């Protein structure tokens, strides 16, 4: 089962909202993981009009860094007694770049962050730093909504079927590992969702193909059965690779739903009162500069729950250290 050893918490909202801090502390204790808490000072161009107030730029930067350090110190004082190693650090530069560089340098295996406070009024949207981390950070990224619950009741995992892609198969396994581990830790229900569609259905139904509705319906039923069989085999394969006891304990609910994943996954997550969705954010691996796929980004933009995003094994972040 998935365990973390080196967790990074981004404290941009943790001072005001204890959601991410509480979740990070619990994960660190359960996994006996090191916990690093960082905040970021966004460096301004020296000639920026904002670097005013009659003070030299370097002094203004030092003041900003000192403020962030004091905030982290106050935060550290609230978590005395935790039985894991906790450290703090102020990063300087563009937030998503410095967080990813820190992740790569120190080999963090999980990044936690509350939704960008600048977008908090849009409960179904993620901010630019959040999206950049989910696109380019090499380890799992967990973005928590401001009203994230102390304990989850419903965990949803979204998996995809691409028989010609070994990367997708490996990504599905990672999604199952994370979602199963989380469901066990939270004593919650686990729902595994797969969205599918019949290729060329709209063409078949247009009347331009010599296929009647009964034949099309039979094709759809056959495809639905094939997708259900695939999902059963995916879970069984996960079981027989050392996870049977966990799966037997959780007894995940399987959902094979016809429709566009961009609409189906958020809608099903809402129907299931999902507290968190575990999903992959790229379809291919090892390509520097690869951005998030349109389907993944559309799903994220329509969610109203926290999200834990995963990259396939071998993903290479385009961010240079």
């Amino acid at each position: 089962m998935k365990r973390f050893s080196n967790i990074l918490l981004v404290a941009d909202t943790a001072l005001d909202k204890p959601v991410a801090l509480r979740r990070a502390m619990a994960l660190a204790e359960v996994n006996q993981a090191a916990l690093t808490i960082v905040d970021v000072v966004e460096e301004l161009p020296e000639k920026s009009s904002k670097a005013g107030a009659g003070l030299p730029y370097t002094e203004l930067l030092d003041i900003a860094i000192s403020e962030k350090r004091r905030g982290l110190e106050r935060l550290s004082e609230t978590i005395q007694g935790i039985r894991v190693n906790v450290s703090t650090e102020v990063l300087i530069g563009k937030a998503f770049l410095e967080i990813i560089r820190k992740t790569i340098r120190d080999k963090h295996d999980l990044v936690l962050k509350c939704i960008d406070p600048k977008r908090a009024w849009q409960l179904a949207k993620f901010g630019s730093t959040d999206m950049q981390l989910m696109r380019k950070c090499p380890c799992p990224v967990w973005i928590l909504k401001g009203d994230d619950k102390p304990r989850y009741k419903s965990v949803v995992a979204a998996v995809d079927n691409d028989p010609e892609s070994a990367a997708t198969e490996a990504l599905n396994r990672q999604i199952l590992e994370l979602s199963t581990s989380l469901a066990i830790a939270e004593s919650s229900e686990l729902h595994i969702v797969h969205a599918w569609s019949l290729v060329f259905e709209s063409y078949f139904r247009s009347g331009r193909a010599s296929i009647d509705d009964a034949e099309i319906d039979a094709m759809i039923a056959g495809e639905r059965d094939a997708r259900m069989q695939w999902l059963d085999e995916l879970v069984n394969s996960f079981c027989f690779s050392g996870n049977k006891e966990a799966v037997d304990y959780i007894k995940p609910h399987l959902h094979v739903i016809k429709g566009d994943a961009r609409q189906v996954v958020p809608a099903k997550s809402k129907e299931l009162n999902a507290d968190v969705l575990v999903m992959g954010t790229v379809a291919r691996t090892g390509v520097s500069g690869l951005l998030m796929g349109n389907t993944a980004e559309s799903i994220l933009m329509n969610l109203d729950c926290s999200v834990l995003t995963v990259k396939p094994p071998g993903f290479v972040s385009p961010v240079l250290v």
Side-chain angles (χ1 to χ4, degrees):
M1 301 307 295
K2 179 66 178 178
R3 296 186 67 86
F4 300 107
S5 61
N6 195 10
I7 298 170
L8 182 67
L9 169 64
V10 181
D12 54 355
T13 58
L15 297 176
D16 302 317
K17 297 179 180 180
V19 170
L21 177 61
R22 182 176 60 227
R23 179 69 58 186
M25 288 170 56
L27 283 167
E29 287 204 285
V30 167
N31 290 275
Q32 284 299 290
L35 173 60
T36 302
I37 308 173
V38 300
D39 208 341
V40 185
V41 173
E42 294 260 358
E43 195 171 11
L44 294 171
E46 291 197 34
K47 294 183 180 179
S48 170
S49 59
K50 294 181 180 180
L55 294 174
Y57 170 79
T58 53
E59 286 190 30
L60 289 171
L61 185 60
D62 287 343
I63 290 170
I65 292 170
S66 296
E67 282 295 315
K68 293 289 189 182
R69 283 178 178 156
R70 280 194 290 271
L72 290 175
E73 287 169 4
R74 290 195 299 271
L75 193 63
S76 297
E77 290 170 1
T78 69
I79 57 176
Q80 297 299 320
I82 186 172
R83 296 187 299 274
V84 295
N85 180 39
V86 180
S87 60
T88 62
E89 184 177 342
V90 175
L91 307 175
I92 303 169
K94 189 69 175 175
F96 84 89
L97 289 173
E98 298 311 318
I99 293 165
I100 293 174
R101 286 168 180 156
K102 170 75 173 171
T103 299
I104 296 171
R105 282 196 308 268
D106 294 348
K107 297 180 172 58
H108 291 286
D109 51 12
L110 176 67
V111 172
L112 288 104
K113 183 184 180 300
C114 267
I115 190 169
D116 193 323
K118 296 175 184 177
R119 303 293 290 274
W121 59 276
Q122 286 182 304
L123 294 180
K125 307 292 182 183
F126 296 92
S128 60
T129 297
D130 308 326
M131 294 301 291
Q132 292 284 15
L133 289 175
M134 289 188 283
R135 287 175 181 135
K136 299 174 182 177
C137 190
C139 72
V141 175
W142 197 336
I143 305 293
L144 300 139
K145 292 298 179 83
D147 58 351
D148 192 73
K149 297 175 183 176
R151 184 165 292 279
Y152 293 158
K153 293 182 180 179
S154 177
V155 176
V156 175
V159 294
D160 193 17
N161 178 22
D162 186 352
E164 297 183 0
S165 172
T168 300
E169 183 178 345
L171 183 59
N172 284 337
R173 179 180 174 82
Q174 286 193 309
I175 291 168
L176 292 180
E177 285 178 345
L178 282 170
S179 57
T180 302
S181 297
L182 183 56
I184 289 173
E186 299 287 312
S187 298
S188 64
E189 288 189 343
L190 173 60
H191 298 269
I192 304 173
V193 176
H194 171 58
W196 65 277
S197 58
L198 179 67
V199 179
F200 302 128
E201 180 184 356
S202 59
Y203 172 74
F204 293 151
R205 292 197 184 278
S206 68
R208 289 175 289 173
S210 56
I211 303 176
D212 60 28
D213 286 345
E215 290 177 292
I216 298 170
D217 291 342
M219 292 169 64
I220 290 172
E223 185 67 22
R224 182 184 295 109
D225 290 344
R227 296 297 180 122
M228 191 70 237
Q229 181 180 347
W230 167 80
L231 187 55
D232 278 330
E233 290 173 352
L234 175 67
V235 175
N236 286 335
S237 174
F238 180 67
C239 285
F240 293 122
S241 57
N243 303 287
K244 188 176 188 306
E245 185 177 344
V247 173
D248 286 347
Y249 175 74
I250 289 295
K251 295 182 174 61
H253 305 274
L254 308 186
H255 306 269
V256 172
I257 310 168
K258 182 175 180 290
D260 189 329
R262 290 170 288 189
Q263 284 80 47
V264 165
V265 174
K268 193 64 179 180
S269 297
K270 185 173 184 178
E271 177 190 324
L272 296 169
N273 295 313
D275 297 304
V276 63
L277 172 68
V278 184
M279 61 176 285
T281 53
V282 293
R284 292 175 292 156
T285 183
V287 182
S288 294
L290 180 68
L291 297 180
M292 191 184 303
N294 290 335
T295 297
E297 192 149 335
S298 296
I299 289 171
L300 288 166
M301 288 295 98
N302 287 293
L303 282 179
D304 57 4
C305 64
S306 298
V307 62
L308 176 53
T309 60
V310 191
K311 307 292 192 309
F315 172 79
V316 178
S317 175
V319 175
L320 300 177
V321 177

